[in-house]
Amino acid sequence: MITLFAACRLSAQTTVNGIVTDGHEPLAGANVFIVGTIDGCLTDSIGRFSFQTDGTGELTLRATFMGFDDYTLTSRTLQGLNIVMRERATTIDEVVVTASSYSFGKSDNFKSMDALDVVMAGNSCGDIVAALQNLPGTQKVGEDGKLYVRGGGSEECQTFINGMHVLMPYSTNVDGQAQRGRFSPFLFKGINFSLGGYGGEYGQALSSVLPMETTDVATGDKLGVSASLVDWNIGGTKTFRQSSLSFNADYTSMGLYNSLFPDRCDWASPYRKLSGEMQYKSDISSACVLKSYVGYDLSSVGQNIDCRNLAFKEHNVYANVTLKANIGGGYSLFAGVANSSVITDIDDALARGDHYYNFRNEVHLKTELRKVFSLALKMSAGAEDYIRNSKLRYGGYQYHVDYNLLAAHVDAYWRIVPRLFLNVSGRAEHLGYAGNWMLMPRATVSYVPDKTFQISAMFGRYSQAAEDEYIAKSGMSLPQSTSDHAILSLQYNKKKTLVRIEPYYKKYRHLPLQADASYTAEGYGTSKGIDFFFENHSLVKNLTTTVSYAFNDSERLYLDYTSLRAPEYASRHNIRLTAKYSIGKMIFGVAESYASGRKFTSGTTPYYNSVDANLTWLVSPKVIVYTSINNILGRTNVFGFQSDGLPQTASRDRFFYIGIFVSLKNNKAYDISNF
């Protein structure tokens, strides 16, 4: 009886066998089993499997392997199987292509650096712009402190807050004095600095864009103050059920600092800036968010120079309102409006007794619709309008420029195959006074085999309207300038180490070129080079180091140039080395910056070099002491040459800063300006 039972059981068993591959190579360790039973096994080192099952008739077999889609087969015959598994396709939202861009804070699902890291960069003194100058592709132009990217002028880099354009993102100063960014890094949850090759959403920028996203609705009340030798600040937030209202006021004066540390300039009145900011943010619903921001700066300074008493004053107002809403069916809507107004008054601007007045205004209207069609495709389409007005009076010369620029764009993000991604966009712009449309195609192809490696190729055309003065002097006939970008990006990011190499080429057309008292669009130029960036968090515990190198070879014929040559702001080699080390409640940072000489008609400047350091002391959860010194070695760096041939230098060789940040209501001092 027992023998008969065993024989029956043996005859009822079925052998299941075969091999599992990815189409090219065997998959070792894949799990193969019969659904609804415990019968199965793992594949061996060459992908083979074999096991017995009691099941009879039509059976369902399943194979699973990490990173691949499950394989299912229902059949009466499960012998000699050749199972080919397909790699699981990553969704569009699971991959962030970071080619030619650097992200700070929680932005686009990629986190690299937060506001404190920006503040504590060795040479930033808490300035976003100065911190970004540690990245490859940027030029060191010490006489104005603005962003110059990959051979392009500072006007070629445009700033956006919550997707809306900012006309003047710098705090203004007299010629020869470095300017700072207007906005505190604590204001933003995300900063994306794109060095080129960006999509169709952003326009009016020939070289780069700096999009920044403000923080969300606050969850608790805040109040804090800070004080230093040069500025004093108070900021706070009041929260409501689903909204928050925030304010920030700041007063900057160089009077005390100039008394303690005199410089080379003869100041009639020290540089002063009074600024205030306010935000209201509301979670209208779980699918709808409203953000509003308004900021005002009043800057003034007086200087005795060249037998005249230069008196400078500028009002700068910026405001925006944006709305984001998920409207169902995979659709989301964005709408925004922004206004920028800048009024500049200068007495004794160029000669004794003269007066310079300039008013600039821009209204930016924007709307965008986004749709997620599938895990492999999403698209966006939008339209925007720039309405610009500018008036200038200087002596007997004056102009009034008034025009609008319409734009529309379509972007498609497509996962072609599991590791290959394509972003194709088209942007069209209509310059009002010129009366013609310009079409700009753009594309990025990215191969992302895993989370550690990326390779991308980017191509695109970009445009930008000329500055108001050149438009006016051309008789409202100057078309937009264009630049064509070609960028190859290689990135490796693993085990706290980031390496990125990016060669690039840019070709400029229709640059403004001076012709007697007018301007034509006959200027042109090229800019090519390679950027290298290395960041490491594992050499020594609590130590972060970066190495940034940029080689740039650019030349152009534009403005008052009489021949094709390197622009005066461009240096061929730029190197930045930084290190940040934390020990206990102290964080120490140091930075070394080097730039080769810049070419002027009167000669080439010596190389630039500066060693900078800072120390941050977390005295308590509510108190931070921050101190920094720029150009420790006291080198007198030459930034250019004046009209009389004399070298142009900074007003002082070193700058020392010490500030105390105190929270009065919450438990984190560095939240005082975090609206």
Side-chain angles (χ1 to χ4, degrees), residues 570-604:
S571 49
R572 202 172 182 86
H573 304 277
N574 283 267
I575 302 173
R576 281 89 180 221
L577 310 174
T578 71
K580 185 181 68 176
Y581 182 73
S582 59
I583 177 171
K585 295 184 178 181
M586 292 189 177
I587 305 172
F588 176 73
V590 63
E592 155 69 19
S593 299
Y594 167 88
S596 57
R598 293 153 51 189
K599 295 182 179 180
F600 291 77
T601 54
S602 54
T604 302

Side-chain angles (χ1 to χ4, degrees), residues 7-44:
C8 292
R9 177 176 173 82
L10 182 62
S11 63
Q13 283 187 320
T14 302
T15 298
V16 180
N17 57 39
I19 187 171
V20 178
T21 71
D22 63 359
H24 303 284
E25 301 291 334
L27 295 177
N31 186 22
V32 184
F33 60 95
I34 301 298
V35 176
T37 74
I38 60 172
D39 301 330
C41 68
L42 299 178
T43 58
D44 62 17

Side-chain angles (χ1 to χ4, degrees), residues 486-505:
I487 305 168
L488 178 66
S489 177
L490 304 169
Q491 177 175 292
Y492 172 83
N493 188 0
K494 188 177 183 180
K495 293 183 179 179
K496 300 183 180 181
T497 297
L498 169 66
V499 180
R500 184 181 293 181
I501 302 174
E502 289 190 351
Y504 62 89
Y505 176 82

